[in-house]
């Protein structure tokens, strides 16, 4: 019986033509999560790293997952040799050289890397950055995908955060970092240009949203675009003037900086960004929504956006979880 | 052989359309939404999809024991027939909104009803 060679990391597995990839992996005692084995629960989702997976193995996945060659192992009968990865698999694909480092506010820096080998990505995705001793953290790309040679990041200092403190204090122009392939499903896709967009971000959650807005405007997005950027106090906001200027020059872009504690400056709103957004925009049927930043804000907002009428498939979210090792 | 209920309803695309409406109704219903954990919307929606696929007569591996175990903690929280009726009502309303013919809605109702004792741990 014919077999196909499957590579998963360092491990080689042969998959018979009449068995699913999931069964082959289980037979070889690969530790993989799975559930219904019927292509419904999506627990066994994996990613093909070298070739498009068989189309029936992508049945039921969102377009954004299909595009990135995700597939369900329980529905996959390999047609050829495959190199596959776990759902969160990352490869460091290139290096970047620090070319810009400046303060955005008291706790956040803008870091720009000149990329050795530019790669394709969608505005809103993130990459992993790795220091030469192996320390890795994820950061959202803050620019659009038109100029791929430079990637910018907003790095907020976390008390005791090993990577962020190092980036703030010691990282300097000319230093080199490893950069992973782009990841994440919270990104702007062209098409449906008339669809209104709502973007809500807290703190450095502005980074991916700024990239998405820049991309959308560059691609001539026609629908209304509403950005609510929130922070506890004025000092946590940044790019206020830049976003205001963007709103002044683009009729369909609307910017609302929000401050949840203390007195807001004039032209700022008092309250939480998500509360204000959902109160003002109570009927969101047909909208596309992007949510980035504090995990509680993101989770609450997903629910509220959905209750306000947004389809689940139109909710894009990226919760910024603090790496558990940060406080070591 | 006549077309299956699942196919008559429109297959998986119909399930997706229904989940979006159904789950919203459930979450907005203050008499039952305390039973629905909202920390992971995707996982919750996935569970609703699996349930609707089953209720639509689609491919499933329905398991009464799993259903009992999954709902046991809610029974302790007071889950009873009134809550089951509310969910079943939202399901029927969802199908009406999607202009599904009444005889098919009735068939879905019968399948959903068949899970009542497992859900309520009886």
């Amino acid at each position: 019986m014919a077999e196909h060679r499957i590579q998963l990391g360092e491990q080689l597995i042969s998959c018979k033509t009449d068995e699913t990839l999931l069964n082959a992996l289980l037979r070889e005692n690969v530790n993989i999560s799975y559930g219904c084995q019927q292509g419904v629960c999506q627990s066994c989702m994996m990613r093909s790293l070298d070739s498009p997976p068989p189309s029936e193995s992508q049945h039921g996945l969102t377009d954004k997952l299909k595009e990135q060659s995700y597939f369900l192992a329980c529905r996959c009968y390999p047609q050829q040799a495959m190199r596959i990865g776990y759902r969160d698999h990352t490869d460091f694909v290139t290096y970047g050289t620090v070319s810009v480092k400046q303060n955005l506010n008291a706790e956040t820096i803008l870091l720009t890397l000149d990329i050795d080998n530019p790669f394709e990505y969608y505005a809103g995705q993130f990459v992993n950055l790795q220091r030469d001793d192996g320390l890795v953290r994820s950061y959202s790309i803050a620019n659009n995908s038109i100029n791929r040679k430079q990637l910018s990041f907003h790095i907020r200092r976390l008390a005791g955060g090993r990577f962020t403190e190092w980036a703030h204090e010691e990282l300097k122009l000319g230093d080199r970092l490893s950069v992973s392939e782009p990841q994440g499903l919270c990104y702007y896709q062209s098409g449906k240009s008339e669809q209104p967009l709502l973007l809500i971000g807290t703190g450095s959650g502005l980074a991916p949203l700024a990239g998405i807005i820049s991309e959308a405007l560059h691609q001539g997005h026609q629908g209304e675009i509403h950005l609510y950027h929130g922070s506890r106090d004025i000092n946590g906001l940044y790019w206020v003037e830049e976003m205001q200027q963007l709103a002044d020059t683009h009729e369909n872009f609307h910017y609302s900086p929000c401050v949840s504690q203390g007195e807001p400056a004039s032209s700022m709103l008092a309250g939480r960004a998500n509360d204000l957004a959902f109160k003002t925009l109570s009927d969101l049927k047909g909208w596309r929504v992007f949510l980035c930043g504090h995990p509680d804000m993101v989770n609450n907002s997903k629910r509220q956006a959905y209750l306000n009428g947004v389809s689940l498939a139109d909710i894009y979210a990226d919760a910024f979880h603090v790496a558990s090792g940060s406080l070591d | 052989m006549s077309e299956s209920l699942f196919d008559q309803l429109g297959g998986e695309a119909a399930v997706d359309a229904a989940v979006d409406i159904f789950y919203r109704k459930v979450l907005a219903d203050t008499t039952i939404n305390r039973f629905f954990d909202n920390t992971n919307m995707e996982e919750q929606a996935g569970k609703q999809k699996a349930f609707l696929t089953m209720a639509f007569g689609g491919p499933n591996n329905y398991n009464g024991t799993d259903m009992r175990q999954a709902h046991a903690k809610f029974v302790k929280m007071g889950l009873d027939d009134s809550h089951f009726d509310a969910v079943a009502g939202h399901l029927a309303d969802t199908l009406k909104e999607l202009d599904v013919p009444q005889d098919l809605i009735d068939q879905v109702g019968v399948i959903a009803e068949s899970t009542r004792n497992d859900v309520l741990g009886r």
Side-chain angles (χ1 to χ4, degrees):
Chain A
M1 177 150 306
E3 294 185 340
H4 294 299
R5 208 171 67 150
I6 308 297
Q7 189 180 349
L8 173 64
E10 302 289 293
Q11 201 170 357
L12 278 177
I13 296 137
S14 62
C15 185
K16 300 187 182 78
T17 47
D18 65 343
E19 71 177 342
T20 65
L21 182 54
L22 177 63
N23 284 334
L25 294 172
L26 293 176
R27 175 164 47 74
E28 296 299 323
N29 298 315
V30 172
N31 185 13
I32 175 177
S33 65
Y34 67 100
C36 72
Q37 301 194 54
Q38 305 210 25
V40 174
C41 74
Q42 304 190 354
S43 299
C44 64
M45 186 157 63
M46 302 187 83
R47 191 173 185 187
S48 173
L49 301 176
D50 59 352
S51 56
S55 59
E56 68 274 11
S57 68
Q58 293 186 300
H59 188 66
L61 299 186
T62 60
D63 288 345
K64 45 194 164 158
L65 288 169
K66 285 181 188 170
E67 235 172 69
Q68 296 182 83
S69 293
Y70 285 94
F71 67 95
L72 302 176
C74 74
R75 278 284 179 261
C76 179
Y77 294 91
Q79 306 296 311
Q80 57 185 338
M82 293 177 80
R83 194 164 68 85
I84 60 173
Y86 290 108
R87 192 191 297 223
D88 295 318
H89 172 90
T90 62
D91 268 338
F92 286 90
V93 290
T94 187
Y95 284 90
T97 306
V98 179
S99 60
V100 176
K101 180 181 170 182
Q102 63 186 52
N103 293 327
L104 293 169
N105 61 25
E107 56 191 23
T108 313
I109 54 169
L110 170 75
L111 189 75
T112 299
L113 301 180
D114 291 350
I115 302 301
D116 288 3
N117 297 304
F119 47 80
E120 297 207 358
Y121 59 89
Y122 295 103
Q125 285 194 295
F126 64 88
V127 295
N128 289 333
L129 300 180
Q130 187 180 45
R131 196 166 73 176
D132 57 12
D133 67 350
L135 185 67
V136 174
R137 290 291 180 269
S138 305
Y139 289 101
S140 295
I141 301 168
N143 49 292
N144 64 36
S145 70
I146 290 101
N147 177 13
R148 297 203 169 100
K149 290 182 187 152
Q150 291 193 317
L151 299 183
S152 288
F153 309 94
H154 299 170
I155 300 181
R156 191 171 145 242
R157 183 199 285 262
L158 300 166
R162 285 191 293 158
F163 193 98
T164 63
E165 289 206 335
W166 168 76
H168 276 250
E169 299 295 331
E170 296 176 41
L171 187 64
K172 55 187 188 304
L173 298 184
D175 283 356
R176 307 265 286 162
L177 288 167
S178 298
V179 180
S180 78
E181 60 184 357
Q183 293 181 71
L185 302 172
C186 177
Y187 60 76
Y188 178 79
Q189 278 176 303
S190 54
K192 295 190 188 166
S193 164
E194 303 293 326
Q195 190 174 28
L197 310 181
L198 169 63
L199 307 96
I200 305 173
T202 51
S204 56
L206 179 62
L209 300 182
I212 287 168
I213 290 163
S214 169
E215 181 85 20
L217 292 174
H218 185 88
Q219 299 215 13
H221 194 89
Q222 298 296 308
E224 298 293 313
I225 303 173
H226 290 260
L227 168 66
Y228 286 79
H229 183 209
S231 179
R232 198 164 299 157
D233 54 47
I234 298 175
N235 297 329
L237 295 177
Y238 57 89
W239 272 7
V240 176
E241 278 173 32
E242 286 84 348
M243 286 294 141
Q244 193 53 56
Q245 272 173 19
L246 205 59
D248 291 342
T249 50
H250 292 83
E251 217 171 283
N252 63 335
F253 176 58
H254 312 277
Y255 169 56
S256 304
C258 310
V259 173
S260 61
Q261 287 177 13
E263 196 62 27
S266 63
S267 83
M268 291 184 185
L269 303 175
R272 289 176 187 270
N274 48 327
D275 293 342
L276 291 163
F278 292 122
K279 208 168 136 191
T280 311
L281 304 167
S282 55
D283 181 6
L284 293 170
K285 198 168 163 52
W287 286 57
R288 202 186 316 176
V289 174
F290 297 90
L291 308 165
C292 300
H294 196 285
D296 291 342
M297 183 285 286
V298 168
N299 277 328
N300 292 336
S301 297
K302 266 191 206 174
R303 176 188 168 98
Q304 196 57 50
Y306 176 64
L307 287 173
N308 284 20
V310 185
S311 291
L312 287 172
D314 280 327
I315 300 175
Y316 296 78
D318 193 355
F320 290 5
H321 293 280
V322 174
S324 54
S326 280
L327 303 175
D328 286 352
Chain B
M1 198 176 110
S2 64
E3 204 182 10
S4 72
L5 175 64
F6 188 61
D7 290 334
Q8 287 183 71
L9 285 164
E12 194 177 350
V15 174
D16 288 337
V19 168
D20 213 77
I21 299 172
F22 169 71
Y23 184 37
R24 188 175 291 116
K25 286 184 189 297
V26 167
L27 278 188
D29 183 342
T30 54
T31 67
I32 53 173
N33 62 8
R34 67 193 171 100
F35 297 112
F36 290 83
D37 172 21
N38 60 42
T39 51
N40 190 333
M41 294 271 297
E42 289 82 4
E43 196 182 312
Q44 273 290 324
K47 285 180 187 165
Q48 306 314 320
K49 184 173 175 179
F51 169 65
L52 289 199
T53 303
M54 194 274 293
F56 280 27
N60 69 86
N61 54 351
Y62 179 76
N63 181 317
T65 309
D66 291 349
M67 204 68 157
R68 279 168 188 274
Q69 281 170 0
H71 289 86
K73 65 177 176 213
F74 303 124
V75 172
K76 282 197 190 126
M77 286 166 63
L79 187 75
D80 63 23
D81 282 301
S82 71
H83 305 116
F84 188 94
D85 292 341
V87 172
H90 290 312
L91 177 55
D93 289 345
T94 298
L95 297 175
K96 277 185 201 131
E97 246 180 83
L98 291 168
D99 291 325
V100 172
Q102 188 60 46
D103 64 312
L104 297 185
I105 295 179
D106 292 343
Q107 290 182 55
V108 171
V110 168
I111 301 177
E113 184 60 41
S114 73
T115 68
R116 182 185 292 263
N117 285 341
D118 287 330
V119 168
L120 298 180
R122 298 191 292 226

